[in-house]
Amino acid sequence: MTTYHLKVTIGETEPPVWRKIAVPNHITFHQLHLVIQECFQWQDYHLYKFELPDVESPITRLFGDPFIDEGNDIDAREMLIDPYIAKGGRFRYIYDFGDWWEHVIDVLDIDPLDDARAPRVTASQGESMIEDAGGVGGYYRIMDILHDARNPRHEEIERWVEWQAPKPFSADTANAHMDELLYFPKAAYSSSAAPDAGICPARRVKLRDVVDALEYQSDALAAYIDLDAVEVRMLFFEDFVGQEEYERSLREFESCNSLMLPRPEELDDYGVMRSFALMQEGVAGDRLKRAVEGRGAFKRFKSEVAKLGIEEDWLAFRDESRAETARDFLEANGVRWA
């Protein structure tokens, strides 16, 4: 696996606040954004963009909102970093267009033989800044007040910092967190194919198949994505289908680069029911809110939905919630969908 070694420095900090990170070559710019967020303990509350010397338009996450999207930006979830990284290169990452936290990203090295787990922090300097502090200048003004007990705003700022500031930065903690949440398996794509409008083509798993698999799983059936074939498959358990079918499905599972889908117990079905209940108005809302409280909530909720005659509305809402869960899961794991 090719690994890029990058140094990310928050601009105008003195002494400089930076992190050296290693990331795999096959991730998107949105996934690089997630890594930077983790390494500087940002909260991912705000918009962001990457600015590259050879790319005219900013690379950001598009939201389909004309008041947010400029119309000529490039979707960071569709843009692989690989074609744009060269040793000695430099580009910028801006987080929070109000505070304008500017990060300068230098490409230190490209290692085609690095098999270590990535992403990871390899070195660091300086503590993380504080979200919503007013940018670098605002942060330093806040620190000045914090260290001046005679300042009339000292106690106010002290309380704010105690509530808002992240814990002292630890590379080990950041790596452990990324190891759990931001390990990106290599999605199948053809790096030799000619990029179309700067976007490297990739094979995509069908989102509908992932949503259906999330719904179909049970104690006797698990779902996973074959990342080599880029398709959803099922893993049958022996007591469900018998020895022969179990061994066949197990061989398929073990022979591929796989990504297990979230198990039924990991899905917040109760939260989806409660959200639907809170959306309803009047008598329907009151009845559904009562139904989701206490033991037996699932059965009561289903019964009330049937009595109210809103099964189609509920199923559509549940399906969209499943689709959102599937999209978030695939995005976090570097798997594209269609």
Side-chain angles (χ1 to χ4, degrees), residues 162-221:
E162 183 178 359
W163 169 72
Q164 186 79 352
K167 295 179 180 179
F169 179 75
S170 163
D172 290 339
T173 299
N175 288 338
H177 199 217
M178 288 193 291
D179 200 42
E180 178 183 358
L181 299 178
L182 296 180
Y183 176 58
F184 307 123
K186 187 170 183 177
Y189 74 91
S190 173
S191 59
S192 62
D196 178 16
I199 298 176
C200 197
R203 297 175 64 186
R204 299 167 185 261
V205 68
K206 293 180 180 178
L207 182 65
R208 183 71 256 171
D209 290 348
V210 177
V211 174
D212 290 343
L214 289 174
E215 187 70 26
Y216 194 52
Q217 286 189 113
S218 66
D219 292 340
L221 198 61

Side-chain angles (χ1 to χ4, degrees), residues 251-270:
R251 284 195 301 271
E252 288 182 350
F253 173 70
E254 293 177 341
S255 67
C256 71
N257 180 19
S258 61
L259 174 66
M260 297 298 297
L261 295 185
R263 296 292 291 150
E265 58 270 19
E266 299 176 66
L267 302 175
D268 186 14
D269 288 333
Y270 177 80

Side-chain angles (χ1 to χ4, degrees), residues 31-338:
Q31 291 166 334
L32 179 58
H33 152 77
L34 296 176
V35 172
I36 295 172
Q37 288 285 305
E38 183 64 37
C39 292
F40 287 96
Q41 297 175 283
W42 297 126
Q43 301 300 310
D44 203 6
Y45 289 155
H46 304 284
L47 301 177
Y48 71 89
K49 65 178 178 178
F50 289 91
E51 294 181 346
L52 281 70
D54 299 327
V55 179
E56 183 176 350
S57 299
I59 302 170
T60 185
R61 177 169 180 177
L62 304 184
F63 292 87
D65 185 334
F67 294 100
I68 297 177
D69 302 335
E70 295 296 326
N72 58 347
D73 295 350
I74 301 170
D75 193 334
R77 295 171 298 175
E78 295 293 324
M79 192 82 157
L80 295 169
I81 69 171
D82 194 31
Y84 303 94
I85 301 294
K87 187 174 180 179
R90 170 177 283 188
F91 56 102
R92 298 197 311 160
Y93 165 78
I94 313 297
Y95 173 62
D96 186 350
F97 298 163
D99 281 8
W100 199 262
W101 299 100
E102 179 178 329
H103 306 63
V104 177
I105 303 176
D106 292 295
V107 183
L108 303 178
D109 194 18
I110 299 175
D111 187 347
L113 301 176
D114 187 352
D115 290 329
R117 196 171 178 91
R120 66 185 186 275
V121 180
T122 59
S124 67
Q125 176 175 285
E127 291 298 333
S128 300
M129 314 295 272
I130 303 178
E131 194 103 17
D132 297 325
V136 174
Y139 171 79
Y140 285 137
R141 285 191 293 273
I142 286 172
M143 291 297 102
D144 287 342
I145 295 173
L146 183 64
H147 294 107
D148 181 4
R150 294 175 297 178
N151 190 295
R153 296 189 62 200
H154 173 79
E155 291 187 7
E156 171 198 348
I157 293 299
E158 189 175 45
R159 288 193 299 270
W160 184 82
V161 169
E162 183 178 359
W163 169 72
Q164 186 79 352
K167 295 179 180 179
F169 179 75
S170 163
D172 290 339
T173 299
N175 288 338
H177 199 217
M178 288 193 291
D179 200 42
E180 178 183 358
L181 299 178
L182 296 180
Y183 176 58
F184 307 123
K186 187 170 183 177
Y189 74 91
S190 173
S191 59
S192 62
D196 178 16
I199 298 176
C200 197
R203 297 175 64 186
R204 299 167 185 261
V205 68
K206 293 180 180 178
L207 182 65
R208 183 71 256 171
D209 290 348
V210 177
V211 174
D212 290 343
L214 289 174
E215 187 70 26
Y216 194 52
Q217 286 189 113
S218 66
D219 292 340
L221 198 61
Y224 66 95
I225 300 173
D226 179 339
L227 294 171
D228 299 321
V230 197
E231 63 180 30
V232 179
R233 293 181 176 175
M234 307 305 292
L235 176 60
F236 300 99
F237 301 134
E238 183 178 1
D239 57 356
F240 178 58
V241 294
Q243 184 69 21
E244 185 176 342
E245 184 69 8
Y246 164 71
E247 290 180 354
R248 181 195 63 77
S249 68
L250 186 60
R251 284 195 301 271
E252 288 182 350
F253 173 70
E254 293 177 341
S255 67
C256 71
N257 180 19
S258 61
L259 174 66
M260 297 298 297
L261 295 185
R263 296 292 291 150
E265 58 270 19
E266 299 176 66
L267 302 175
D268 186 14
D269 288 333
Y270 177 80
V272 175
M273 287 192 314
R274 182 169 175 76
S275 295
F276 181 76
L278 292 172
M279 287 178 57
Q280 309 308 307
E281 297 179 350
V283 175
D286 292 339
R287 288 170 60 175
L288 290 177
K289 290 168 192 173
R290 287 196 298 269
V292 296
E293 298 299 332
R295 297 181 62 181
F298 286 88
K299 185 175 181 180
R300 284 197 307 275
F301 178 84
K302 184 176 179 180
S303 175
E304 286 293 345
V305 165
K307 292 176 183 177
L308 292 166
I310 55 174
E311 294 100 330
E312 290 187 7
D313 292 343
W314 157 241
L315 292 175
F317 181 85
R318 187 185 64 177
D319 194 56
E320 178 52 36
S321 296
R322 280 279 192 269
E324 183 177 353
T325 297
R327 286 191 293 266
D328 289 345
F329 174 79
L330 295 173
E331 181 177 299
N333 286 279
V335 181
R336 295 184 172 192
W337 68 89

